[in-house]
Amino acid sequence: MITPIQGFSKLSKDEKINWIASNYTHNTQQTKEVLKVYWNSDAKLQKLHDEFIENTITNYYLPLGIAPNFLINNKLYAVPMAIEESSVVAAASKAAKFWLTRGGFKTTILGTEKVGQVHFIFKGDEKKLESFFTAIKPVLFNDSDSITTSMKKRGGGITNIELRNKTEDLEHYYQLHCTFETLDAMGANFINSCLEQFAKTLKREALAYTDFSDEEKNIEVVMSILSNYVPNCVVRAEVSCTVEELSEGNTEEAQHLAEKIVQAVNIAKIEPYRAVTHNKGIMNGIDAVILATGNDFRAIEAGVHAYASRNGKYSSLTNASVDNGVFKFWLDVPLALGTVGGLTNLHPLVKTALEILQKPSATELMQIVAATGLAQNYAAVRSLVTTGIQEGHMKMHLLNILNQLGATDEEKKTLTAHFKTNTVTHSAVVSAYNNLKND
């Protein structure tokens, strides 16, 4: 019987591995070998990875691929993508190549505002609270000067602090709704430090505010935390071309294709079941670049999906239209990203990925990420309304199936050639593999 362990974090890495392998896996020695084979042979580099998080036992690898030929605002990029899913990098690359000769991707930053909140309980007169807030607002700014000095020198800092009454939603609940500009930093630590200082100032000043009753003076701060919902930190990416250019030839065929793409997007706008999968395809591209550049994909996912629901119903993030013979496909997406701080200065592959991207600013990275998400969605929707998604996806998945079957390099070569003209399904690959083995 497995029993709880005390002081696991204080064990050495070898002791942690011994414990987890012997208590939770069937083949202790094999588990140890698998975990250790993924250690970096460079002890200094491995120590760096060990210290990224607590209780590290090994490194977890994802493939890092490149999607070339991304023309964004007339600048050519090769985009690093870290992802495990077959066909994602191929689809992004194919879309980038398609739009390369059609003007490429045009991107625009619509805003860079980030948000944090101090959530508190106030039992008293709302009018007195409003007067109190007006009186202490300059103090909130002044008390955070030591935190904001460096950021302000670079052109960022706190942009506003508002008092918001939320008592209609929750009894006695108010908040300080605060906005920030954090430039090339994602800014989570900066924002949270400011918010915690606001909370201290709020409580201190309330105790000294003579117009408050004793109960009103005892403001209860529930929590102070940034928000990953950033509806005013948004980038737009778009592509467009004449309808004729869509099919590279047949005008009638191109018109039908353009209309089907618009229909597919419109379905994703009104049908949540489709919209979720539609947007997941966008995030295939976005998350892969975010991971490669050391940013927080969980925060981005949460914020993006909230943004997709901002009008009261979950809907497509992309839009498509055909007007006067011009096809247009575009995306508005909230992206709070950073190119300094966090792993960007520590992880060697993150630094390399940012170098490949020509050391972008945070706003440039927003535009690259949005263009990649748009490319991914265009490739997916185009496949769905023409050949279907499985043809391309399963061809990319072929090698995964063959690796599961233990195929040799020669067998892979033979079967890859076979499936260039045959439909790839799991059962078809198994059957072809078995036939090859029995020949």
Side-chain angles (χ1 to χ4, degrees):
M1 180 180 175
I2 300 171
T3 57
I5 184 172
Q6 298 294 324
F8 182 73
S9 64
K10 295 179 175 61
L11 299 178
S12 69
K13 186 162 71 168
D14 277 330
E15 288 171 335
K16 290 185 181 84
I17 289 171
N18 286 335
W19 182 83
I20 198 75
S22 59
N23 282 283
Y24 283 93
T25 68
H26 295 297
N27 190 324
T28 301
Q29 188 56 38
Q30 184 183 61
T31 299
K32 291 180 184 179
E33 290 172 1
V34 169
L35 293 175
K36 290 184 178 182
V37 80
Y38 282 92
W39 289 4
N40 198 291
S41 57
D42 182 328
K44 185 177 179 181
L45 188 58
Q46 183 56 53
K47 187 173 186 293
L48 177 69
H49 281 69
D50 286 347
E51 293 176 354
F52 284 153
I53 61 171
E54 192 174 59
N55 296 340
T56 305
I57 57 174
T58 193
N59 306 313
Y60 187 89
Y61 291 178
L62 286 176
L64 180 64
I66 292 290
N69 300 320
F70 265 88
L71 184 64
I72 304 172
N73 295 339
N74 298 317
K75 185 175 180 179
L76 196 61
Y77 292 91
V79 179
M81 302 177 73
I83 192 166
E84 88 299 340
E85 186 174 333
S86 301
S87 78
V88 168
V89 177
S93 300
K94 185 176 181 180
K97 183 179 179 182
F98 178 83
W99 289 107
L100 177 65
T101 56
R102 293 162 176 79
F105 298 82
K106 305 300 180 187
T107 57
T108 309
I109 298 295
L110 303 181
T112 57
E113 181 182 87
K114 294 165 187 172
V115 174
Q117 296 165 321
V118 177
H119 306 269
F120 66 95
I121 302 299
F122 174 76
K123 298 178 180 177
D125 186 330
E126 178 195 342
K127 294 298 182 185
K128 285 201 281 184
L129 180 64
E130 289 173 354
S131 297
F132 166 69
F133 172 72
T134 300
I136 71 159
K137 187 172 180 178
V139 183
L140 293 167
F141 279 96
N142 290 337
D143 281 3
S144 61
D145 269 348
S146 61
I147 303 167
T148 61
T149 299
S150 295
M151 188 67 78
K152 285 193 288 189
K153 283 180 181 177
R154 300 196 300 274
I158 307 158
T159 54
N160 197 20
I161 307 171
E162 299 175 12
L163 173 67
R164 292 192 174 180
N165 183 341
K166 307 292 285 186
T167 55
E168 286 189 5
D169 301 312
L170 184 65
E171 190 177 19
H172 306 308
Y173 167 45
Y174 295 83
Q175 61 181 230
L176 298 183
H177 184 90
C178 314
T179 53
F180 302 84
E181 172 56 63
T182 62
L183 305 169
D184 286 340
M186 187 273 171
N189 290 330
F190 169 76
I191 292 171
N192 287 334
S193 295
C194 290
L195 295 172
E196 289 181 4
Q197 180 56 58
F198 295 162
K200 290 176 185 177
T201 300
L202 182 71
K203 289 172 66 90
R204 184 194 70 218
E205 294 298 312
L207 289 172
Y209 193 61
T210 55
D211 285 353
F212 279 162
S213 67
D214 288 343
E215 183 178 36
E216 288 170 333
K217 288 181 178 182
N218 289 312
I219 286 176
E220 179 188 354
V221 173
V222 179
M223 55 187 165
S224 309
I225 186 70
L226 89 163
S227 174
N228 292 128
Y229 184 45
V230 285
N232 295 322
C233 185
V234 176
V235 56
R236 173 172 293 168
E238 60 184 85
V239 288
S240 63
C241 67
T242 62
V243 169
E244 288 83 355
E245 290 178 282
L246 273 185
S247 72
E248 304 172 86
N250 188 313
T251 304
E252 187 176 325
E253 195 176 281
Q255 184 68 32
H256 183 59
L257 173 60
E259 290 170 357
K260 283 193 77 174
I261 291 174
V262 172
Q263 286 173 338
V265 172
N266 287 341
I267 288 169
K269 283 182 173 297
I270 60 93
E271 173 49 66
Y273 281 90
R274 172 58 200 142
V276 169
T277 311
H278 179 90
N279 289 344
K280 185 268 183 185
I282 296 169
M283 300 312 293
N284 278 342
I286 286 176
D287 282 349
V289 187
I290 288 170
L291 269 173
T293 57
N295 277 274
D296 185 346
F297 74 92
R298 288 89 50 201
I300 297 301
E301 283 275 352
V304 165
H305 295 302
Y307 188 76
S309 304
R310 67 194 183 281
N311 295 321
K313 182 178 182 179
Y314 191 89
S315 183
S316 166
L317 290 162
T318 50
N319 304 275
S321 67
V322 177
D323 291 307
N324 297 320
V326 175
F327 170 79
K328 184 178 175 184
F329 194 73
W330 73 99
L331 162 74
D332 288 355
V333 63
L335 295 171
L337 302 177
T339 54
V340 298
L343 288 187
T344 59
N345 297 325
L346 286 175
H347 198 299
L349 282 177
V350 168
K351 288 195 283 188
T352 300
L354 289 170
E355 184 178 359
I356 290 169
L357 290 173
Q358 302 165 65
K359 298 184 178 178
S361 65
T363 52
E364 287 169 336
L365 184 59
M366 287 171 68
Q367 294 171 84
I368 294 165
V369 169
T372 309
L374 185 66
Q376 200 70 42
N377 190 233
Y378 174 78
V381 173
R382 180 168 180 143
S383 290
L384 280 169
V385 302
T386 52
T387 60
I389 203 76
Q390 282 302 89
E391 180 180 320
H393 179 76
M394 290 306 293
K395 282 189 182 295
M396 292 302 300
H397 194 49
L398 174 60
L399 279 180
N400 287 345
I401 301 172
L402 293 175
N403 282 328
Q404 289 172 7
L405 294 171
T408 64
D409 287 344
E410 192 60 35
E411 288 166 343
K412 289 176 188 175
K413 184 177 178 181
T414 300
L415 291 169
T416 298
H418 170 76
F419 281 106
K420 281 183 177 178
T421 55
N422 291 276
T423 301
V424 178
T425 66
H426 190 276
S427 59
V429 175
V430 172
S431 177
Y433 174 74
N434 289 335
N435 290 337
L436 183 63
K437 296 291 284 186
N438 293 331
D439 282 348

